[in-house]
Structures are given as structure tokens and as C-alpha cells.
């Protein structure tokens, strides 16, 4: 909860059962950090079905599917929209059959004219009822009266005042039931533990004529028995003391004020309210976990509703402001702080909220809590790993003992200096590098002493494209540098190309990309970057490269609501479109899709030269479109080769499209070229690589520019390999590249494994860069067996650097990039490249 990009998760665990409520992005990484075994999860419950609450579900299911040869089955529960999400995930989750979906509630249908009466769904739906727990769900739907307010920004003062006025005037009034749209439904979960039977009194049993024996057990089990000495029936109440009611916990997700009208009026909750006339048998609620956002929970009406549970501890988990100060991935934050101390130029400080901003928020919250209703209900801000004990009854209540301690950056640096005293001098030398680079001077003798640099570090000829480059031209931000699944040190693949005033582009978008953006740039600046995104390019269908995409697109849609804009261009393999099309039945992602194969060099050349007539000249025949879809469907069945079905040794990538397909692609290509030109770019070209079917790399070329003397300066060229073995297409695309970002999943000694999994070793990646004449090579996508720093052979890293999460490489700093490698070696000199499997427990290493 340090980035406000995901819904909080709640773990309900017993000796032999574990339930997770909500699986937002970052859940798996958080559990890895704190050694919570996800392999023991029996059930996953979603309070809503959207990217905020379920963004981490695909990655989690992929991990569970990879545990052991058989994999693991898991039950996923949620409102009826859940089926739409699972259908979408089948596009890339191979073991989808192991996901047992249990949906409940009314069917969502935007075209429905009549929906069932509200009473049909107002009663709790019992999901689980065994000797351990009874778990029920109450469906919430937004009120029809608030639909006209949908254009107002949620949480804005105008929207709040308008909806609060509606709430005050119409909560008790009957209303017509609206048709629910996908994503509208939310849930209140009720967890009830069984009562604890009273203590058995053997003296009372003897007085009623019972002999010690099996009948004692029957009475304790709640069964009546016949007396041994008297002609009477003995009932459990005759010999047992008073029972102790079982604890009750509510999890409330009320995402909008229009949903709150359902919360306040649902009759099935009345039996849990205290102090209502005629409700003498009300059950005491011990804990209410509020997943609702603060703009809902801070209203007077919501506070009044909370006060109906006076005995409960109210835990406020809906984006509490205090949590943004404490990183939830402590291991990653610690390394980021150490790297920032060593080289702040390539490892900037995290973009946390400014202290002034925090103080402003705190004063606003304090003012809101001092209103006339502040004494109605006491609440507790949620914290990571805050616990509420349900059993034994003597320990009922909050437990803060597991809340992680926070370490300031200064404390982390002090510990580093104590462990490696030389790091202080190394940090000064790194700063000296930038000073001398600016002055174009030779390195001082003092700066050569520690650590020893290799002679090749000083043999660098500046490429022509870097002449006159400024710090506002390009910055490459490595948001995720690990492979397969997130670890506590490295997130999965994502690279931001920050063009500053001209927007930005994302290469790959693994789970947690949004959180990484907010950690790097801060909450506000990250929102600006997402608003100004020009394009997202996805390399292939494996989940560690795209499962953060829906969250990014959904946030951009919300940020631009009411603002004139065009849908975002997403370029990716065709199988990704299957997922996105299916997912958009659940929530609109406000995007347009372009197949990578249509951004090949030949396709773009044909567009420029009109060698192929792509432009539509007449209305497109529906049968032609169906034929194009049929061809697509056949191509999707290709699962073991890059060669198209039915054509002899013909690459799928090079296969010409049908006239109908070309006609549909033409306007998308035109739009892509327009987007590129507006960003000062000349071309984005995809090329096939060797990994899985429809796997691609990408080359991005900046437009040429003219200097003050009228000389033409060639534009820079960035190449990203995606996941691949070394291949001719990659070498060709990387020829004279300014930067080649190349995957290096395995160390050199694991060449056979690299071949088997269609990945590259460190040496192979460097050799690709050397063969292509790339100016700089950045290695990324490291196996999670290398927790902090990968194994590499220094002898061939002459123009190369190792990537870390949050590393930010400005184009103006490229000449210095390889020169920091010896200093990074010093920082990690005591680190062993050990397998992280002990920490990650049962997570499978499937790349």
C-alpha cells in the first residue's frame, strides 16, 4: 500500500485452510518478501472484478500452475463478472483448467432492459459453511440515481457534495433497479466462526442420572441422550455452560458513493447491527475491514453506518495516506537506497511524496476527523501485516507485532558504510566521473586508485547521434529487470522510454509496472506519465511481459475521463489481442491494437512508398472481415513454430495479409506514424526473434535533427531484444544501435539451459552487441536464481552495464555507463549468487 495502485489484500488463515481476499498487483512479490507460502492458498475471493483487485491474479495462477508436475488447483470466487476475467486469462494461462471459478450474483449485461428484483440478491449467498468457518457474500450494485453523476471525477468535492445530497434524500426511498454493467458489482464478505460450546459439567450430568461414558461425548456434540438412571431426556443445555459466540468479521468494498446506497439499505445486514429496536438477537461483529476509498469512508453517512457496529474494531484499508511513506518491498528499497548513494545519476532517489504534500494531506485528514461526527466511530489505519486474532478467544483482537519496521535512507547508508568503508570514496569517484565528463578532462590519479578500472573503459568514440544531445531528449528507466515472476529484489519486465515533454513509450508491461512507476517518479508524476503515454509495445504473450497492461490502461482511462483524447496504441503479438478483446468485456481499456507483424520494416516501407495498396477504397465486405478472422484463428493454433500453417517454410511474420486485413490495418499504421512523429521519432520496427510463437524484438529510431551549423545529426537508435536466443534478425536490427537492451537470463555456464528455454546467456548478449556494433549494451531479464546481481565474466563487458530496477539512463550520460560497473562490483562484493528458492518457497522457475 505504498503506491496507491492496487487494492489491499486480506489473508484469513486457519491451521489447515487459507483464504485470500483480493489479489492486486504486487501480492505475490509481497508474499515472497515476507515468506508467506502462496502454495497453501485454498481459495481466492475478489470483492470486485477489475484490474485493481485482480491484477496479480494471472501471475499468481501461473505460479501455482508451475508448482510440481501436476500443478495446483485453486478456487477463485467473485461476482458474476469473474467469468469474463477467467475467459480472458485463458489466452495465456496454459493450466486454466486448474482454476475452479465460483461466481455468484446477478449476471452483468449492458444490453439488458429488465434485471431481477433487488430482493433476489439482497440475502447473503453462503459460499463456504464447514466446521471451521461460514463465509457469505452480499452483492452491492451502484444506484441508478447516481448514474448521472458519472462524469464527475470520483472523490472530487463536487461529486461528493452531489452524491451526499442524493444519499440524504433518497436512502429510504424505493427505486427502480438499474441494469448492471460489467465491473459494477462489488461484495461485502461475512466471515463467521462457529460458537464455542460451554464447558461440560459432570456434576450436573451425574445429578441427571448419567454414567460417565459415550453419552457425555454426545451431549458435548449437541445431541440429546436418555438418562441411565431416570426416565428423562437430557439435553445439552442441561449440562453445558453458556456458549461463547464465534467471532464475526466483515470485509466491505464500497468503491463509490452510489454503491453506498446499497450498503445502507440492504436488509440482510440488520441482524448484525447493534441497538436497533426489535433486534435483541443481533450478532456482535468483532472486526470490520473497510476496503472502500477514503472519499467514501470520510462521509458523514458512511461514518453513521460504521457506528452501527459499536463493538467492532474498524480497520481502514482503503488507500490510507500514511502507508505511502513505508516501502512494502523493503529488500528492493534497500538496494535502491544503496545504489542511489553510490551513483545518484543512474539511480535517482525514489519519487516519494514531498513532505509538504504529506503535511497538507495530514491537515486535511485531521480537519475531516474533527467534524461533528468524529466521535461516532473509532477507526484504525491499516498497516502491512497488521493481524486480528480470531482464535483462541482469549487473544481476540489486534496484533501489531508483525508490522515491518521501516528503515530510513540514512540508516541504510550508515549500515552500508559500516560494512564497506571504501564505498564512501567510491561514491566520490563516481561524482568525479560526471564532473570530468562535463569538462572533458582526463581522470585524476586519485580516481584511478579504487577500484581498478580496465583500460577499455577509456576507449570510447562518441557516436554522431550523441552530438549536442541534451538531458531532455531521452531517459531509459528500467522498471523491471527480472524474469518469470516478481522477486523481492527484481520486478518482471518493463522499460519506460521517457521522452520528457514529448511523452513516453513502454516496452513490455509486466505485473507491478504501475507500482514501479509510482515508486520511481512519485504518485503525481507517475499519473502524468501515464496520461502522456504515446504507445505501449509488448514483445510476446508470456505473462511476465504483459500482465500489468490492463492496470496501466484502466488508470489512463480514468485519468483522461472527460478530457478529449484518442485511445492508446498497443502494439503486440496477435494472441495478446485475444486477451485484451476478452478483457474489455469486463472494463473498457480505451486502446487500439496493432499486430507486431504489421510494424515490420517491410510493412512500414510499403506504407511510405505505396508499394502495396493498403488504403481502403470501398466499404469493407463483412464476409472479408470474417475471412480475415478465420485466418487469424488458424494462425493462433500455431503453437510450436514460427512457420504459417499451409505454406511451405513461410514465416508467419512475413505472410501477407488479406485485402480486408490490410484495409483495417492501414488507419492504425497511419495513427502509429503520427504518434511517432509527435514524439520526435522516425520509426518503430518489430522483428521476429527466437523464443515462443509470435515473439518479437523492437527497434525505435529518433528523427534526424539539424544543429546550429546546418549539419544533419542522425537520430539515436534503441533496440530491445525481448526474450530470445541470439539470432540474425536481432543482430541486423541492432546494427550501429545507440543502446541495445538485451536479455541475459542465464550465466555463461548454463548455456544448455538457455538453449532449452530459448533465452540468452550474458556472454551471448554481449556478443550480439559486439557483432552489431552497438555503442552501449544494457543486460536485463535475469533469472530469479540471481537475487541481487547476476554472474558475469568481466572480460567481455567492454561497453556493457548490468540493469537494476529503477535504473535511469539518460542519453547524455551514455559515455559513462560502462564505467560504473567496477563500482557496482564493489557494492556487491560480498554477495553470493545463490538461488532465491528458499525465500520464494514453492514458486516455480518457469521463464
Amino acid at each position: 500500500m505504498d503506491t496507491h495502485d492496487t487494492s489491499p489484500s486480506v489473508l484469513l488463515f486457519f491451521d489447515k485452510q487459507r483464504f485470500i481476499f483480493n489479489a492486486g498487483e504486487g501480492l505475490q512479490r509481497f508474499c515472497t518478501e515476507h515468506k508467506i507460502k502462496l502454495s497453501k492458498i485454498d481459495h481466492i475471493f475478489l470483492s470486485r472484478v477489475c484490474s485493481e483487485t485482480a491484477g496479480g491474479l494471472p501471475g499468481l495462477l501461473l505460479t501455482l500452475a508451475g508448482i510440481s508436475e501436476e500443478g495446483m488447483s485453486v478456487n477463485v470466487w467473485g461476482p458474476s463478472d469473474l467469468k469474463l476475467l477467467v475467459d480472458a486469462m485463458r489466452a495465456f494461462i496454459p493450466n486454466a483448467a486448474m482454476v475452479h471459478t465460483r461466481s455468484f450474483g446477478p449476471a452483468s449485461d449492458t444490453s439488458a432492459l429488465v434485471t431481477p428484483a433487488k430482493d433476489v440478491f439482497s440475502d447473503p449467498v453462503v459460499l463456504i459453511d464447514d466446521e471451521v468457518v461460514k463465509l457469505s457474500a452480499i452483492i452491492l450494485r451502484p444506484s441508478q440515481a447516481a448514474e448521472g453523476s458519472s462524469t464527475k471525477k470520483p472523490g472530487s468535492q463536487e461529486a461528493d457534495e452531489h452524491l451526499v445530497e442524493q444519499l440524504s434524500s433518497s436512502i429510504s426511498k424505493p427505486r427502480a433497479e438499474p441494469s448492471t454493467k460489467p465491473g459494477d458489482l462489488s461484495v461485502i464478505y461475512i466471515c463467521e466462526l462457529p460458537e464455542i460450546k460451554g464447558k461440560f459439567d459432570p456434576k450436573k450430568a451425574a445429578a441427571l442420572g448419567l454414567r460417565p461414558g459415550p453419552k457425555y461425548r454426545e451431549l458435548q456434540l449437541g445431541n440429546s441422550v436418555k438418562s441411565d438412571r431416570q426416565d428423562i431426556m437430557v439435553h445439552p443445555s442441561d449440562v453445558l455452560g453458556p456458549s461463547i459466540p464465534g467471532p464475526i468479521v466483515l470485509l466491505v468494498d464500497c468503491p463509490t458513493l452510489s454503491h453506498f446506497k446499497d450498503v445502507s439499505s440492504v436488509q440482510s445486514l440488520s441482524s448484525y447491527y447493534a441497538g436497533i429496536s426489535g433486534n435483541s438477537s443481533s450478532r456482535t461483529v468483532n472486526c470490520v475491514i473497510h476496503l472502500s476509498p477514503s472519499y467514501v469512508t470520510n462521509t458523514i453517512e458512511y461514518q453513521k453506518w460504521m457506528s452501527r457496529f459499536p463493538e467492532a474494531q474498524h480497520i481502514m484499508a482503503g488507500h490510507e495516506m500514511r502507508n505511502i511513506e513505508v516501502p512494502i518491498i523493503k529488500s528492493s528499497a534497500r538496494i535502491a537506497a544503496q545504489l542511489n548513494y553510490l551513483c545518484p545519476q543512474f539511480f535517482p532517489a525514489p519519487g516519494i511524496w514531498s513532505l509538504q504534500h504529506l503535511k497538507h494531506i495530514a491537515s486535511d485528514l485531521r480537519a475531516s476527523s474533527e467534524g461533528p461526527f468524529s466521535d461516532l466511530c473509532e477507526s484504525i489505519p491499516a498497516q502491512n501485516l497488521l493481524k486480528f486474532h480470531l482464535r483462541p478467544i482469549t487473544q481476540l483482537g489486534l496484533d501489531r507485532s508483525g508490522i515491518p519496521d521501516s528503515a530510513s535512507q540514512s540508516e541504510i547508508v550508515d549500515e552500508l558504510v559500516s560494512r564497506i568503508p571504501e564505498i564512501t570514496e567510491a561514491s566520490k569517484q563516481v561524482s568525479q566521473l560526471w564532473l570530468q565528463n562535463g569538462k572533458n578532462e582526463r581522470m585524476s590519479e586519485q580516481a584511478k586508485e579504487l577500484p581498478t578500472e580496465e583500460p577499455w573503459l577509456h576507449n570510447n568514440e562518441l557516436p554522431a547521434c550523441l552530438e549536442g544531445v541534451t538531458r531532455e531528449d531521452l531517459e531509459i528507466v528500467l522498471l523491471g529487470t527480472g524474469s518469470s515472476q516478481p522477486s523481492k529484489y527484481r520486478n518482471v519486465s518493463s522499460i519506460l522510454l521517457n521522452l520528457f515533454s514529448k511523452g513516453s513509450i513502454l516496452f513490455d508491461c509486466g505485473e507491478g509496472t504501475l507500482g514501479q512507476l509510482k515508486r520511481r517518479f512519485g504518485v503525481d508524476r507517475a499519473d502524468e506519465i501515464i496520461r502522456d503515454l504515446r504507445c505501449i509495445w509488448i514483445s510476446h504473450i508470456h505473462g511476465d511481459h504483459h500482465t500489468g497492461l490492463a492496470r496501466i490502461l484502466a488508470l489512463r482511462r480514468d485519468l483522461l475521463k472527460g478530457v478529449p483524447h484518442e485511445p492508446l496504441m498497443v502494439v503486440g503479438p496477435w494472441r495478446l489481442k485475444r486477451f485484451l478483446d476478452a478483457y474489455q468485456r469486463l472494463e473498457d481499456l480505451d486502446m487500439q491494437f496493432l499486430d507486431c507483424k504489421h510494424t515490420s520494416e517491410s510493412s512500414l516501407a510499403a506504407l511510405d512508398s505505396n508499394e502495396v495498396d493498403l488504403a481502403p477504397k470501398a466499404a469493407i465486405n463483412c464476409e472479408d472481415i470474417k475471412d480475415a478472422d478465420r485466418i487469424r484463428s488458424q494462425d493462433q493454433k500455431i503453437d510450436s513454430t514460427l512457420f504459417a500453417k499451409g505454406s511451405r517454410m513461410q514465416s508467419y511474420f512475413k505472410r501477407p495479409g488479406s485485402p480486408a486485413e490490410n484495409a483495417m490495418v492501414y488507419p492504425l499504421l497511419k495513427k502509429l506514424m503520427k504518434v511517432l512523429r509527435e514524439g520526435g521519432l522516425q520509426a518503430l520496427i518489430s522483428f521476429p526473434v527466437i523464443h515462443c510463437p509470435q515473439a518479437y524484438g523492437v527497434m525505435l529510431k529518433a528523427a534526424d535533427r539539424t544543429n546550429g551549423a546546418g549539419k544533419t545529426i542522425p537520430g539515436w537508435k534503441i533496440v530491445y531484444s525481448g526474450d530470445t536466443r541470439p539470432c540474425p534478425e536481432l543482430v541486423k536490427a541492432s546494427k550501429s544501435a545507440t543502446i541495445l537492451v538485451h536479455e541475459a537470463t542465464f550465466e555463461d555456464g548454463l548455456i544448455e539451459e538457455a538453449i532449452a528455454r530459448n533465452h540468452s546467456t550474458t556472454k551471448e548478449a554481449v556478443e550480439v552487441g559486439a557483432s552489431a556494433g552497438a555503442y552501449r549494451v544494457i543486460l536485463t531479464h535475469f533469472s530469479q536464481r540471481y537475487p541481487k546481481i547476476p554472474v558475469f565474466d568481466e572480460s567481455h563487458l567492454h561497453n556493457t552495464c548490468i540493469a537494476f530496477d529503477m535504473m535511469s539512463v539518460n542519453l547524455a550520460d551514455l559515455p559513462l555507463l560502462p564505467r560504473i560497473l567496477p563500482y557496482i562490483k564493489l557494492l556487491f562484493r560480498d554477495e553470493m549468487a545463490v538461488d532465491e528458492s528458499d525465500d520464494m518457497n514453492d514458486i516455480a522457475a518457469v521463464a
Side-chain angles (χ1 to χ4, degrees):
M1 286 298 297
D2 62 338
T3 59
H4 286 204
D5 63 286
T6 190
S7 173
S9 298
V10 178
L11 173 66
L12 174 64
F13 62 97
F14 303 93
D15 289 341
K16 296 182 179 180
Q17 284 184 303
R18 290 194 177 196
F19 309 138
I20 282 274
F21 295 86
N22 286 345
E25 291 189 10
L27 171 63
Q28 187 175 177
R29 196 177 185 198
F30 180 81
C31 290
T32 299
E33 169 96 13
H34 296 285
K35 297 181 172 61
I36 298 171
K37 292 187 177 181
L38 292 172
S39 60
K40 295 184 179 294
I41 299 300
D42 301 289
H43 301 271
I44 300 172
F45 297 87
L46 301 180
S47 62
R48 280 176 288 135
V49 185
C50 60
S51 59
E52 184 181 357
T53 59
L57 188 59
L60 177 57
L61 294 179
L62 283 167
T63 295
L64 295 177
I67 295 175
S68 77
E69 292 184 3
E70 296 79 19
M72 262 194 62
S73 63
V74 63
N75 296 287
V76 182
W77 302 76
S80 52
D81 305 334
L82 178 62
K83 185 179 184 302
L84 300 177
L85 175 63
V86 174
D87 287 346
M89 290 191 300
R90 292 185 190 278
F92 62 91
I93 295 184
N95 296 63
M98 304 183 69
V99 181
H100 305 295
T101 56
R102 322 282 188 187
S103 59
F104 50 84
S108 299
D109 184 1
T110 54
S111 63
L113 298 177
V114 180
T115 58
K118 177 70 173 71
D119 294 341
V120 174
F121 303 107
S122 61
D123 294 333
V125 181
V126 178
L127 309 178
I128 294 175
D129 191 0
D130 55 28
E131 68 279 1
V132 176
V133 65
K134 177 182 178 182
L135 207 151
S136 310
I138 296 175
I139 299 290
L140 302 179
R141 294 188 286 182
S143 67
Q144 189 177 35
E147 288 180 353
S149 306
S150 60
T151 57
K152 297 181 176 68
K153 182 180 178 181
S156 66
Q157 184 176 359
E158 181 186 6
D160 286 358
E161 291 175 353
H162 183 68
L163 282 172
V164 168
E165 182 180 349
Q166 290 180 346
L167 286 168
S168 303
S169 62
S170 62
I171 279 177
S172 59
K173 295 179 181 179
R175 65 187 187 279
E177 292 305 322
S179 172
T180 54
K181 301 187 297 294
D184 276 351
L185 302 177
S186 66
V187 183
I188 295 176
Y189 286 107
I190 305 172
C191 306
E192 301 176 87
L193 274 62
E195 67 177 7
I196 300 174
K197 300 294 184 182
K199 188 175 180 181
F200 182 79
D201 190 338
K203 292 181 179 179
K204 290 183 178 180
L208 293 172
L210 286 174
R211 298 189 185 95
K215 291 184 179 180
Y216 279 17
R217 176 64 176 166
E218 289 296 316
L219 287 166
Q220 289 174 317
L221 291 174
N223 301 320
S224 299
V225 299
K226 185 172 176 58
S227 173
D228 296 317
R229 297 189 178 93
Q230 301 177 31
D231 188 21
I232 59 173
M233 291 296 293
V234 181
H235 304 287
S237 58
D238 298 330
V239 295
L240 297 177
S243 298
I244 302 175
I248 299 175
V249 178
L250 304 185
L251 287 94
V252 182
D253 189 353
C254 180
T256 68
L257 287 169
S258 56
H259 284 83
F260 177 65
K261 298 178 78 171
D262 238 14
V263 175
S264 58
S265 61
V266 66
Q267 293 300 311
S268 53
L269 282 174
S270 59
S271 61
Y272 300 95
Y273 296 152
I276 297 180
S277 58
N279 191 19
S280 58
S281 60
S282 65
R283 290 166 284 181
T284 301
V285 175
N286 303 91
C287 178
V288 183
I289 301 173
H290 300 270
L291 308 179
S292 315
S294 57
Y295 87 89
V296 173
T297 60
N298 286 341
T299 61
I300 293 173
E301 284 72 16
Y302 196 94
Q303 294 283 318
K304 285 181 178 179
W305 179 77
M306 287 171 58
S307 68
R308 294 183 174 184
F309 309 99
E311 303 297 322
Q313 299 267 26
H314 291 272
I315 300 176
M316 314 307 291
H319 300 313
E320 287 296 308
M321 292 299 177
R322 63 180 295 171
N323 291 317
I324 62 178
E325 302 175 80
V326 183
I328 61 170
I329 311 299
K330 294 174 58 180
S331 301
S332 177
R334 178 174 292 274
I335 285 185
Q338 294 172 350
L339 287 166
N340 171 253
Y341 174 75
L342 176 65
C343 182
Q345 295 84 358
F346 284 136
F347 304 97
I352 58 173
W353 292 59
S354 67
L355 292 177
Q356 183 178 1
H357 196 168
L358 287 173
K359 290 176 181 177
H360 176 69
I361 292 170
S363 63
D364 286 349
L365 293 177
R366 201 162 39 247
S368 65
S369 64
E370 292 172 356
F373 295 93
S374 59
D375 296 331
L376 279 178
C377 191
E378 183 179 353
S379 60
I380 299 155
Q383 291 176 274
N384 295 315
L385 298 185
L386 175 67
K387 295 180 182 177
F388 190 93
H389 287 290
L390 304 174
R391 292 277 197 257
I393 202 71
T394 54
Q395 296 182 15
L396 183 69
L398 292 169
D399 177 2
R400 292 183 169 88
S401 62
I403 296 174
D405 296 327
S406 59
S408 66
Q409 180 155 346
S410 60
E411 292 173 329
I412 294 172
V413 170
D414 289 345
E415 183 274 333
L416 173 63
V417 172
S418 174
R419 181 168 55 86
I420 308 177
E422 305 96 311
I423 204 71
T424 302
E425 181 62 25
S427 178
K428 294 178 181 177
Q429 292 177 21
V430 170
S431 298
Q432 187 74 3
L433 289 177
W434 262 261
L435 290 174
Q436 292 172 349
N437 184 59
K439 298 175 182 178
N440 198 24
E441 294 178 350
R442 292 179 58 86
M443 194 172 183
S444 67
E445 291 299 320
Q446 179 185 9
K448 290 182 179 179
E449 293 175 1
L450 176 75
T452 302
E453 292 191 0
E454 302 296 337
W456 46 260
L457 288 175
H458 302 277
N459 184 22
N460 285 302
E461 184 177 345
L462 199 68
C465 65
L466 295 184
E467 181 182 331
V469 72
T470 73
R471 304 196 68 82
E472 299 298 313
D473 286 344
L474 172 70
E475 178 186 49
I476 298 179
V477 182
L478 286 302
L479 297 172
T481 58
S483 68
S484 187
Q485 67 278 315
S487 78
K488 62 184 183 181
Y489 296 110
R490 293 181 184 271
N491 203 52
V492 287
S493 297
S494 184
I495 301 171
L496 177 77
L497 303 181
N498 184 8
L499 301 170
F500 297 95
S501 61
K502 297 178 181 178
S504 57
I505 293 175
L506 271 175
F507 285 169
D508 279 338
C509 193
E511 177 190 338
T513 294
L514 176 57
Q516 294 291 86
L517 276 171
K518 295 197 173 189
R519 293 181 186 103
R520 166 62 181 85
F521 293 101
V523 176
D524 291 341
R525 176 64 183 131
D527 285 351
E528 292 176 10
I529 288 173
I530 292 164
R531 263 193 297 263
D532 296 337
L533 272 175
R534 296 200 167 272
C535 174
I536 298 179
W537 182 91
I538 304 296
S539 62
H540 62 289
I541 195 62
H542 287 168
D544 57 324
H545 291 257
H546 72 82
T547 50
L549 180 58
R551 188 76 195 99
I552 291 281
L553 293 174
L555 178 59
R556 179 182 180 272
R557 173 203 65 208
D558 293 341
L559 292 172
L560 293 174
K561 187 173 291 185
V563 179
H565 67 280
E566 293 187 1
L568 185 66
M569 179 70 71
V570 175
V571 182
W574 183 257
R575 288 179 63 191
L576 178 65
K577 186 177 188 298
R578 292 172 57 196
F579 165 68
L580 294 174
D581 285 348
Y583 188 90
Q584 288 203 106
R585 295 173 59 200
L586 178 63
E587 59 177 334
D588 176 33
L589 296 179
D590 193 20
M591 48 76 64
Q592 289 181 310
F593 185 86
L594 181 61
D595 192 342
C596 279
K597 83 167 191 176
H598 294 302
T599 60
S600 67
E601 189 171 13
S602 58
S603 294
L604 296 176
L607 177 68
D608 287 338
S609 62
N610 292 319
E611 292 176 6
V612 178
D613 186 10
L614 294 175
K617 296 184 178 179
I620 300 171
N621 189 294
C622 292
E623 292 301 318
D624 289 339
I625 297 177
K626 290 179 181 179
D627 182 63
D629 290 340
R630 178 183 58 78
I631 293 171
R632 288 291 193 188
S633 179
Q634 290 176 353
D635 290 337
Q636 290 161 11
K637 296 176 183 177
I638 302 169
D639 56 3
S640 60
T641 178
L642 289 175
F643 299 110
K645 185 176 182 179
S647 51
R648 187 181 179 190
M649 298 299 286
Q650 183 181 21
S651 169
Y652 165 85
F653 183 79
K654 297 178 181 177
R655 179 176 181 169
S658 67
E661 185 179 25
N662 288 339
M664 290 186 289
V665 166
Y666 178 79
L668 295 176
L669 282 173
K670 279 292 197 182
K671 178 181 176 182
L672 176 62
M673 296 304 294
K674 177 176 178 287
V675 165
L676 294 175
R677 283 195 301 270
E678 291 173 349
L681 305 172
Q682 178 179 313
L684 182 150
I685 297 176
S686 304
F687 52 89
V689 295
I690 301 173
H691 183 59
C692 66
Q694 300 175 38
Y696 298 93
V698 65
M699 184 273 286
L700 186 69
K701 177 78 164 57
D704 296 345
R705 51 196 168 86
T706 305
N707 65 11
K711 177 184 176 182
T712 299
I713 307 297
W716 47 259
K717 176 179 174 180
I718 307 297
V719 177
Y720 171 48
S721 70
D723 286 8
T724 185
R725 291 286 302 143
C727 60
E729 290 86 352
L730 177 56
V731 175
K732 178 183 176 183
S734 304
K735 184 174 176 59
S736 302
T738 314
I739 302 175
L740 168 61
V741 182
H742 199 300
E743 73 117 292
T745 309
F746 295 105
E747 60 184 279
D748 297 343
L750 297 176
I751 178 65
E752 292 183 2
E753 189 167 354
I755 293 173
R757 295 176 180 268
N758 277 340
H759 284 296
S760 301
T761 66
T762 302
K763 183 177 181 180
E764 288 175 325
V766 174
E767 288 176 344
V768 168
S771 300
Y775 175 62
R776 292 291 181 255
V777 178
I778 300 175
L779 302 183
T780 186
H781 196 266
F782 303 112
S783 168
Q784 303 294 12
R785 74 184 66 204
Y786 315 116
K788 297 181 182 178
I789 189 168
V791 176
F792 58 89
D793 182 354
E794 310 164 37
S795 63
H796 51 257
L797 298 185
H798 62 280
N799 65 341
T800 305
C801 193
I802 304 297
F804 292 86
D805 282 17
M806 308 300 181
M807 184 177 184
S808 302
V809 181
N810 194 290
L811 204 61
D813 296 331
L814 271 189
L816 298 175
L817 185 61
R819 301 181 68 173
I820 67 164
L821 193 57
Y823 301 94
I824 292 177
K825 279 171 46 186
L826 173 65
L827 178 63
F828 294 103
R829 70 180 185 186
D830 301 326
E831 303 296 337
M832 300 295 292
V834 295
D835 196 327
E836 201 180 13
S837 58
D838 290 340
D839 288 342
M840 301 180 74
N841 292 297
D842 303 290
I843 291 180
V846 180

